[in-house]
Amino acid sequence: MLSGKPLSVLKPDIHDILKQYWGYDTFRPQQEEIIRSVLAGNDTLALLPTGGGKSVCFQVPGLALDGLTIIVSPLVALMKDQVENLLQRDIPATAIYSGMSFREMDIELDNCIFGKYRFLYVSPERLQTDLFIARAIQMPVKLMAVDEAHCISQWGYDFRPEYLKIGELRTHFPHVPVIAVTATATPDVVDDIQLQLKFAAPNVFQSGFGRDNLHYLVLDEENKMQRLLSIIQKTAGSGIVYVRSRYQTQQIAKFLTQNKISATYYHAGLSHADRDKRQAEWTNNTTRVIVATNAFGMGIDKPDVRFVVHMDVPDTLENYFQEAGRAGRDGQKAYCALLYSPADGVEAVEKYEQQRVSADDAKKLVKLLHTYLNIADGSGDGVSHDFDLQAFATKYNTQATHVYNTIKVLEQQGIVSFTENIYVPPKIKFLVDNYTLYEYQIKYPVMTEFVKVILRSYGGAFENYVPINESELARRVNLKRDEVVKGLARLQQNGIIDYRPQKELPQLVLNYPRGGELIDGKSIEQRATLLKQKLQAVINYCAQTQKCRQRMLLEYFGEHTSADCGKCDVCIETRKKITDSNEFEEYRTIIENVLAQGPVQLTAFASATGIQHQTQLTDALRKMAESGLLTIKDGWVHLNGK
């Protein structure tokens, strides 16, 4: 695409932008290098750990450039959070996602063309619509960003076929660089991201994934509830407990509360108000522990999480690494504990096989969806539907988990796009001009005061859809909320406004007209095999007791080191073993034989002795130094008396 040609940059320095909008004097590690790479016109892949400040890497250059930045993100809740955060910083931004009406999207895309916004967040399924492409090529696009970039790779754990459209979209912007960001990517995924996004040249910035303040622990435990209670009682501060099911969140939160631990639960089935309230109480430390499914965590910015506990085997090491990484973002000591017994591994594989989705399952569900949503032959594509998954499962007498898993397979096939519970506030837009509105008030005087209050409260509703607060509106007009809703509905029936009621249900989009789907059974099987391999990698991580936990995680993501962390359960157990006199004598003999030939640099000691386990070597050297057998000085190890 680009060959490193510097872009047209506005006057503000990137440090001035950081200070003005974020209040920081300096960037985090590697952020400045990544930003300067983007501003030099280079396609750039940034691999930063959870909490490493990925969004700043495209938001700062977006503000430095004279135009619009398009950000592709698969997470609607995270998109909405980032837009709200930008607006709070007086940075104009908007988002296009499932659940918006055609008219809403049409207006916002026009606003992007005419320069109202600096940032446009878009969900991947919107990239393939004729509406978006026709408008996008008219926009003053200067930068494209791809969040959660691992989703573009078929080797990744969360592949989204809609992401492949990003490479096609780039052909409309041949002189616009792309920045891709993610927290988790194996070496195969790193290469595939750059290939699929059509990078002009390889260009990867990777911050070390290791975090010295985290203690990774896999604890073999049959009585998990009591062990969890013990961990929380012995560890000060707040924490997260991850579980697989919504039922578990409630039961464990209840158990902790009964044991005088301040706790609440969180899952996607709660209302938006409940989720916000519980997250806020946990964030401000009113509640100490939040028990959650993996629906919790994206976008949270709580630095002082002291522990993250997983009660079940995670699906992938990528998921585990991200979730565990929400601990200790302040740099202080924190614990990442996974409660595991050998039976858990067997059960996880059995559940995987039971829930495995076949091509026939996928085809059957597509037919049921068309029937349930009343889709006619040759139609239905691109329309967003409210979708109550539990109600659907009940209607067709099937398990909700199987429906969910099959929908995820259909997503990976590109047949549907599914957004779990999101909150979309009620919105209105006037469809008539001021003169027509005046005539309406004369004709229906009973509506006059109601219309006037709306105008005073939401003046911008003539140009754009504006979010409204129905309860606040009720207070201002001295009516009940239900009466306000009826009044808004009447204005809509009369053609005065377009009223979009609040949404909280998941959104399902069919990406093809009925009859136009093509399900690839071979790729479904290949995908299932890949996910089983990833599950096995998690089980291997949990079951082994010989290799440092952090080293094992880092090597999975392609980062090789000879140093053990010294803090995980494996390293701690190894340290205990080295105090055994017989084992110490064995190491002492090896070390003395090596040093008999002369001093050895400390950094080369592992290879010189053949002792690969860093913790064992360090403890043996320490014990020999304490016993006066050797001296470590200026980076060299000397055998005393030689």
Side-chain angles (χ1 to χ4, degrees), residues 373-391:
L373 299 172
N374 296 314
I375 305 298
D377 285 343
S379 65
D381 55 312
V383 179
S384 184
H385 302 270
D386 290 344
F387 185 70
D388 187 331
L389 192 148
Q390 186 60 58

Side-chain angles (χ1 to χ4, degrees), residues 9-10 12-22 24 27 31-32 34-36 38-39 53-66 69 71 86 91 118-119 121 143 179:
V9 182
L10 293 174
D13 178 78
I14 60 173
H15 291 90
D16 295 337
I17 292 172
L18 184 71
K19 181 66 174 178
Q20 178 182 349
Y21 292 105
W22 282 270
Y24 300 129
F27 289 99
Q31 282 182 331
E32 182 170 351
I34 292 166
I35 291 167
R36 293 199 181 281
V38 172
L39 294 178
K54 293 182 291 294
S55 59
V56 166
C57 292
F58 54 78
Q59 289 171 348
V60 168
L63 289 171
L65 295 169
D66 185 14
T69 297
I71 304 105
L86 289 171
I91 300 171
R118 300 297 304 278
F119 294 93
Y121 284 78
L143 177 62
I179 172 173

Side-chain angles (χ1 to χ4, degrees), residues 129-130 370 375-376 378-385 509-514:
T129 63
D130 293 338
H370 288 149
I375 305 298
S379 65
D381 55 312
V383 179
S384 184
H385 302 270
V509 179
L510 304 177
N511 295 328
Y512 293 88
R514 182 170 183 170

Side-chain angles (χ1 to χ4, degrees), residues 84-108:
E84 289 170 7
N85 287 335
L86 289 171
L87 293 175
Q88 289 173 2
R89 301 179 195 278
D90 294 324
I91 300 171
T94 190
I96 301 294
Y97 50 84
S98 300
M100 296 176 70
S101 69
F102 180 91
R103 186 192 294 267
E104 284 179 272
M105 289 188 284
D106 194 33
I107 290 173
E108 290 297 65

Side-chain angles (χ1 to χ4, degrees), residues 386-406:
D386 290 344
F387 185 70
D388 187 331
L389 192 148
Q390 186 60 58
F392 176 89
T394 301
K395 180 178 177 66
Y396 292 105
N397 193 30
T398 187
Q399 290 186 342
T401 53
H402 185 69
V403 174
Y404 177 81
N405 291 333
T406 309

Side-chain angles (χ1 to χ4, degrees), residues 279-290:
Q279 180 170 327
E281 288 174 346
W282 175 77
T283 301
N284 64 27
N285 293 320
T286 301
T287 301
R288 185 181 171 204
V289 179
I290 191 160

Side-chain angles (χ1 to χ4, degrees), residues 25-220:
D25 293 313
T26 58
F27 289 99
R28 293 181 184 178
Q30 288 217 306
Q31 282 182 331
E32 182 170 351
E33 293 89 339
I34 292 166
I35 291 167
R36 293 199 181 281
S37 172
V38 172
L39 294 178
N42 299 315
D43 295 334
T44 304
L45 172 57
L47 299 171
L48 296 174
T50 301
K54 293 182 291 294
S55 59
V56 166
C57 292
F58 54 78
Q59 289 171 348
V60 168
L63 289 171
L65 295 169
D66 185 14
L68 178 74
T69 297
I70 294 178
I71 304 105
V72 183
S73 173
L75 303 166
V76 175
L78 186 55
M79 280 199 297
K80 291 168 80 270
D81 284 346
Q82 291 200 7
V83 168
E84 289 170 7
N85 287 335
L86 289 171
L87 293 175
Q88 289 173 2
R89 301 179 195 278
D90 294 324
I91 300 171
T94 190
I96 301 294
Y97 50 84
S98 300
M100 296 176 70
S101 69
F102 180 91
R103 186 192 294 267
E104 284 179 272
M105 289 188 284
D106 194 33
I107 290 173
E108 290 297 65
L109 292 173
D110 270 349
N111 286 332
C112 290
I113 292 172
F114 297 120
K116 179 177 179 180
Y117 298 115
R118 300 297 304 278
F119 294 93
L120 168 62
Y121 284 78
V122 58
S123 56
E125 72 273 5
R126 293 292 130 194
L127 295 178
Q128 50 194 317
T129 63
D130 293 338
L131 171 66
F132 181 81
I133 293 172
R135 297 302 172 81
I137 60 179
Q138 301 177 60
M139 297 175 189
V141 179
K142 295 299 173 66
L143 177 62
M144 293 181 63
V146 183
D147 203 0
E148 307 296 333
H150 58 270
C151 293
I152 201 171
S153 174
Q154 296 191 53
W155 302 108
Y157 66 98
D158 196 19
F159 171 61
R160 306 290 184 95
E162 300 100 326
Y163 259 53
L164 298 175
K165 300 291 182 182
I166 304 172
E168 297 175 20
L169 184 64
R170 292 202 70 190
T171 61
H172 297 293
F173 306 103
H175 302 298
V176 174
V178 64
I179 172 173
V181 298
T182 182
T184 51
T186 62
D188 285 340
V189 172
V190 168
D191 292 340
D192 204 23
I193 289 171
Q194 296 175 89
L195 176 66
Q196 299 297 342
L197 288 177
K198 306 182 189 300
F199 270 38
N203 187 29
V204 181
F205 290 83
Q206 180 169 345
S207 175
F209 287 125
R211 290 171 58 192
D212 291 340
N213 63 313
L214 297 188
H215 296 234
Y216 291 99
L217 308 170
V218 176
L219 306 175
D220 189 340

